[in-house]
Amino acid sequence: MSSSAEKIEDLIGQEYKQGFVTELETETFEPGLDEDVIRRLSKIKNEPEFMLEYRLKAFRHWQKMAEPDWAQLNIDPIDYQAISYYSAPKKKEDKPQSLDEVDPELLETYKKLGIPLDEQERLAGVAVDAVFDSVSVATTFKGKLKEAGVIFCPISEALNDYPELVQQYLGTVVPTGDNFFAALNAAVFTDGSFVYIPKGVRCPMELSTYFRINAANTGQFERTLIIADEDSHVSYLEGCTAPMRDENQLHAAVVELVAMDNAEIKYSTVQNWYPGDKDGVGGIYNFVTKRAECRGVNSKVSWTQVETGSAITWKYPSCVLLGDNSIGEFYSVALTNNFQQADTGTKMIHVGKNTSSNIVSKGISAGKAQNTYRGLVKVAKSADNARNYTQCDSLLVGDACGAHTFPYVEVKQPSAQVEHEATTSKISEDQLFFCQQRGLSAEDAVSMIVNGFCKDVFKELPMEFAVEAQALLGISLEGSVG
Amino acid sequence: MLNINNLHAGVEGKQILKGLNLQINPGEVHAIMGPNGAGKSTLSHVLSGKSGYEITQGSVSYQGRDLLDMEPEDRAREGVFLAFQYPVEIPGVSNIYLLKAALNAIRKHHGLNEVDAMDFLALVKDKVKLLQMDEKFLYRAVNEGFSGGEKKRNEILQAAVLEPKLCILDETDSGLDIDALKIVADGVNSLRSQDRSFLMITHYQRLLDYIKPDFVHVLADGKIVKSGGPELALELEAKGYSWVEGQAA
């Protein structure tokens, strides 16, 4: 009879199903980064002049900055000159005018990933922007959205079609010099999604962007900007995958959200970048800056993330609650297995009166993984009656992993109420045996217990994604007992 | 159905079962009584496949198969059910979810389709009524915040839904007041049938007032030292365990 502890060891670590590579002719820059590369990048994208200035300013700032080292992470040094900053599938003409002109190989790739872009097979009720390496290759339902007044397009396209709008908001939530990776992103970002919901519009469908890194030795630097004007509502989701490669690849994205009076943005992420193999070789470095500003009164931003992939995840989707009565929410499941590391959490900055924030974080560690929750709740003197509730739970699978919690609280307003609850638990051998005695395999038992643990977060996800997220957790934990 | 032959088992080098023999036929209810440390819980754990026990000698055959060679989940799927002495809590997982997952795992093992959600609900509600439980229990996390009596009732509910062939009740009466004991016993009695067998492990005679066994065995120092009919339990109650322990020595 093998012991349950060994079983837990074995259950973790199943093959990554999105690890295939698409063979395509690409246009890829030589590795390296200098002002010339940025000029070429800006030119190839046919950007307005202000954008080049923006990039160069960010680059000059970045050169003076040092990589931060405060996180609870072990990161191999990154050689920024060894990365290619642009890679795109070669196109016949400028850009595909319709989906019929998109390279069939690409359509096939997305189909394999379960994201059909074909006219006939599109996901009903979900508009998809597909970003492949450095460029957006297709956006579905654009026409239908336009009828509603919603702009949903690649940010590179928005820079051409709506330059004033982009210029008005870009970098106002995350300034170019905000942090090392945000500055790098500002200098070299290639594509991402742009969303504008006009006043009084409730976006008629879910918007989603699907990020895929394919090329070797490239970084993906995407930029997403979502503006919800007064009295509008939008739900946006992103998904991410990458091939299995032995080298670490850098993904340094910036996401900016702006919510005006009475507007609501719901932003969901299912992140499944390649996590590296079971010995910790390869995998994506996912270093992302995500921030929302609730600028208007009664505005609301809700971040929901399910992080199962990446060798290293380092991100803190945050809310700056400027408008009175504004609400910030953060719901997170971060699962780390094998040698994966995650240092993730949120920042809730209360500035307006009667602002409230809610944080629910569920960290799961298995194998030899390390999982850290790091969160900041800051209440400014101006934020009368601010409220925060934080719940931070960690679940350990096996006994070689670690969970850490670093909650920071800064309160300058005496009427504020800040609550923090934290628990750490372990899947016990008794729980596993109990489930097995009822006929479940050890794997199904772990998956069931983990899904139960994450329930409070999953219920915040749009339906289709909740199902995907559950399945993903199951796959990511396979091999952790057996 | 179950044939235990000269079973020797221990934990961390310490011998606990020292040559136990027991035969259970379909439809029979056997009670095993014994003092603390006699090996009662070890027997239930070894039969259900809990890890950490060494089998040093002997064999157990169940429906003609070598039970000790089967994984715990396969034993369960083949109809071996253990009602735990201390049922664990599983936060976040609702009772009804566990029941459905377990039932479907068993059905799949037997080549049957997954049970339809509506049919399942009807089935479970039926069983809940049988055990005089509130339907709300179904939606609460498994055993979380349950009283001792509620946990034991929940075990019997699981047996009622999963319909095992061999039901091992490990000190099901411990921690129950008389009212709860009656409800649990009624539940067990309703499960009795010609092809379902029971192995009741208990310290006290009182459970046997409510669930009438066909056979009573006395376990002392890892062996069955005396077997008889229900009257043996009464005799034991009157004379105390020292009576049989003297015989074992």
Side-chain angles (χ1 to χ4, degrees), chain A residues 92-202:
Chain A
K92 294 178 195 92
E93 287 129 49
D94 261 356
K95 63 170 71 167
Q97 294 306 303
S98 77
L99 284 164
D100 305 339
E101 294 169 42
V102 175
D103 189 328
E105 274 290 323
L106 279 173
L107 292 180
E108 193 52 38
T109 299
Y110 282 91
K111 206 169 170 179
K112 258 164 108 173
L113 296 167
I115 317 286
L117 299 173
D118 298 338
E119 295 278 345
Q120 300 87 351
E121 295 174 43
R122 290 171 185 181
L123 298 166
V126 183
V128 179
D129 183 19
V131 177
F132 193 84
D133 289 331
S134 303
V135 293
S136 169
V137 292
T139 311
T140 61
F141 289 113
K142 259 163 128 178
K144 192 167 172 200
L145 289 167
K146 213 169 179 180
E147 275 171 39
V150 172
I151 303 172
F152 177 46
C153 66
I155 199 161
S156 54
E157 205 174 302
L159 276 164
N160 284 301
D161 297 352
Y162 315 97
E164 293 88 8
L165 209 50
V166 178
Q167 191 173 13
Q168 189 186 340
Y169 289 100
L170 186 73
T172 61
V173 180
V174 180
T176 49
D178 187 80
N179 66 66
F180 183 84
F181 295 105
L184 177 63
N185 175 286
V188 302
F189 78 80
T190 45
D191 225 331
S193 296
F194 176 78
V195 176
Y196 176 78
I197 316 290
K199 282 181 193 175
V201 171
R202 203 181 161 87

Side-chain angles (χ1 to χ4, degrees), chain A residues 286-325:
Chain A
N286 188 34
F287 300 166
V288 174
T289 306
K290 288 182 167 172
R291 196 174 303 154
E293 275 189 13
C294 287
R295 289 189 186 165
V297 295
N298 306 317
S299 56
K300 180 177 174 185
V301 169
S302 202
W303 297 101
T304 306
Q305 60 173 24
V306 176
E307 306 279 327
T308 60
S310 296
I312 304 178
T313 295
W314 190 4
K315 64 176 222 182
Y316 314 93
S318 305
C319 295
V320 184
L321 303 170
L322 298 170
D324 290 350
N325 314 320

Side-chain angles (χ1 to χ4, degrees), chain B residues 10-238:
Chain B
V11 66
E12 286 165 8
K14 189 175 170 255
Q15 258 329 323
I16 298 172
L17 299 181
K18 302 169 184 170
L20 189 142
N21 294 294
L22 180 66
Q23 190 176 344
I24 300 180
N25 296 312
E28 290 177 355
V29 177
H30 290 245
I32 290 197
M33 302 181 69
N36 290 327
K40 298 194 301 289
S41 285
T42 298
L43 177 61
S44 71
H45 290 160
V46 167
L47 292 179
S48 56
K50 191 175 162 81
S51 63
Y53 293 90
E54 297 156 47
I55 317 292
T56 47
Q57 218 182 310
S59 66
V60 180
S61 89
Y62 168 72
Q63 295 189 311
R65 287 181 65 183
D66 180 359
L67 184 71
L68 302 177
D69 196 38
M70 293 160 73
E71 290 296 320
E73 60 267 37
D74 286 328
R75 300 182 196 196
R77 292 165 188 169
E78 286 292 336
V80 176
F81 182 95
L82 171 63
F84 285 79
Q85 183 179 5
Y86 304 108
V88 290
E89 301 186 0
I90 310 180
V93 176
S94 69
N95 245 333
I96 192 161
Y97 188 91
L98 171 76
L99 284 168
K100 190 158 179 251
L103 182 62
N104 280 331
I106 292 168
R107 288 178 65 92
K108 196 176 160 197
H109 177 77
H110 293 286
L112 299 168
N113 289 336
E114 291 204 349
V115 61
D116 167 69
M118 296 304 285
D119 294 347
F120 176 72
L121 205 61
L123 167 84
V124 167
K125 284 187 174 176
D126 216 36
K127 307 291 184 187
V128 163
K129 220 174 278 165
L130 188 77
L131 286 154
Q132 303 179 36
M133 291 168 82
D134 191 327
E135 272 181 31
K136 283 184 200 142
F137 268 93
L138 290 173
Y139 302 97
R140 283 173 58 185
V142 177
N143 294 326
E144 197 181 35
F146 285 26
S147 70
E150 288 167 343
K151 284 183 183 172
K152 294 295 172 75
R153 237 188 286 180
N154 204 23
E155 294 291 289
I156 306 305
L157 172 68
Q158 289 160 27
V161 172
L162 302 179
E163 302 189 322
K165 295 198 179 78
L166 172 67
C167 213
I168 305 166
L169 308 176
D170 190 0
E171 309 247 355
T172 292
D173 53 331
S174 69
L176 293 186
D177 60 31
I178 280 295
D179 293 337
L181 181 62
K182 274 184 188 158
I183 294 168
V184 167
D186 285 349
V188 171
N189 284 327
S190 72
L191 293 178
R192 290 177 73 156
S193 78
Q194 285 185 345
D195 46 11
R196 182 171 298 139
S197 311
F198 288 83
L199 180 59
M200 284 193 286
I201 293 172
T202 182
H203 190 79
Y204 299 105
Q205 196 270 335
R206 105 186 151 146
L207 177 68
L208 310 186
D209 289 341
Y210 298 95
I211 307 170
K212 287 267 177 283
D214 301 311
F215 302 94
V216 174
H217 311 276
V218 181
L219 181 67
D221 196 27
K223 274 188 221 172
I224 287 178
V225 293
K226 209 168 177 57
S227 296
E231 71 290 345
L232 178 59
L234 295 168
E235 196 176 354
L236 200 61
E237 184 85 347

Side-chain angles (χ1 to χ4, degrees), chain A residues 1-5 7 425 428-445 447-455 470 482, chain B residues 45 48-51 53 55 71-73 76-77 80-84 87-94 97-98 101-102 105-106 142-143 155 158 162:
Chain A
M1 253 179 281
S2 66
S3 89
S4 296
K7 292 179 175 179
S425 52
S428 70
E429 292 186 21
D430 284 347
Q431 285 174 326
L432 278 185
F433 177 62
F434 176 83
C435 294
Q436 285 176 283
Q437 217 303 305
R438 294 299 176 258
L440 298 172
S441 68
E443 289 187 7
D444 289 346
S447 177
M448 181 178 78
I449 294 168
V450 168
N451 274 306
F453 175 76
C454 300
K455 207 163 53 183
Q470 283 197 13
Chain B
H45 290 160
S48 56
K50 191 175 162 81
S51 63
Y53 293 90
I55 317 292
E71 290 296 320
E73 60 267 37
R77 292 165 188 169
V80 176
F81 182 95
L82 171 63
F84 285 79
V88 290
E89 301 186 0
I90 310 180
V93 176
S94 69
Y97 188 91
L98 171 76
I106 292 168
V142 177
N143 294 326
E155 294 291 289
Q158 289 160 27
L162 302 179

Side-chain angles (χ1 to χ4, degrees), chain A residues 150-384:
Chain A
V150 172
I151 303 172
F152 177 46
C153 66
I155 199 161
S156 54
E157 205 174 302
L159 276 164
N160 284 301
D161 297 352
Y162 315 97
E164 293 88 8
L165 209 50
V166 178
Q167 191 173 13
Q168 189 186 340
Y169 289 100
L170 186 73
T172 61
V173 180
V174 180
T176 49
D178 187 80
N179 66 66
F180 183 84
F181 295 105
L184 177 63
N185 175 286
V188 302
F189 78 80
T190 45
D191 225 331
S193 296
F194 176 78
V195 176
Y196 176 78
I197 316 290
K199 282 181 193 175
V201 171
R202 203 181 161 87
C203 188
M205 58 179 76
E206 302 271 351
L207 304 182
S208 89
T209 303
Y210 198 91
F211 295 101
R212 173 77 176 168
I213 298 179
N214 187 58
N217 304 316
T218 56
Q220 191 176 55
F221 303 93
E222 96 258 357
R223 185 98 188 181
T224 296
L225 176 57
I226 299 177
I227 302 136
D229 217 325
E230 292 169 26
D231 303 303
S232 70
H233 177 282
V234 63
S235 171
Y236 174 93
L237 21 108
E238 61 174 355
C240 335
T241 56
M244 296 173 6
R245 295 189 189 281
D246 288 345
E247 312 82 37
N248 294 111
Q249 281 182 284
L250 180 62
H251 172 258
V254 172
V255 175
E256 297 178 283
L257 312 184
V258 178
M260 308 306 274
D261 288 357
N262 307 309
E264 184 176 342
I265 302 175
K266 192 171 166 52
Y267 191 106
S268 314
T269 303
V270 176
Q271 185 264 108
N272 185 27
W273 294 119
Y274 176 53
D277 69 10
K278 63 179 175 21
D279 301 315
V281 175
I284 302 290
Y285 285 170
N286 188 34
F287 300 166
V288 174
T289 306
K290 288 182 167 172
R291 196 174 303 154
E293 275 189 13
C294 287
R295 289 189 186 165
V297 295
N298 306 317
S299 56
K300 180 177 174 185
V301 169
S302 202
W303 297 101
T304 306
Q305 60 173 24
V306 176
E307 306 279 327
T308 60
S310 296
I312 304 178
T313 295
W314 190 4
K315 64 176 222 182
Y316 314 93
S318 305
C319 295
V320 184
L321 303 170
L322 298 170
D324 290 350
N325 314 320
S326 60
I327 299 170
E329 294 177 333
F330 175 74
Y331 303 99
S332 171
V333 166
L335 182 148
T336 49
N337 194 354
N338 297 322
F339 285 88
Q340 279 179 279
Q341 308 174 65
D343 191 316
T344 185
T346 184
K347 290 188 276 185
M348 293 291 176
I349 317 291
H350 294 254
V351 180
K353 293 181 177 52
N354 307 315
T355 46
S356 65
S357 61
N358 192 19
I359 299 171
V360 178
S361 164
K362 305 276 181 178
I364 303 144
S365 310
K368 296 186 169 65
Q370 296 294 323
N371 203 322
T372 299
Y373 168 82
R374 188 185 303 275
L376 169 69
V377 175
K378 193 170 177 173
V379 179
K381 196 152 182 12
S382 55
D384 294 14

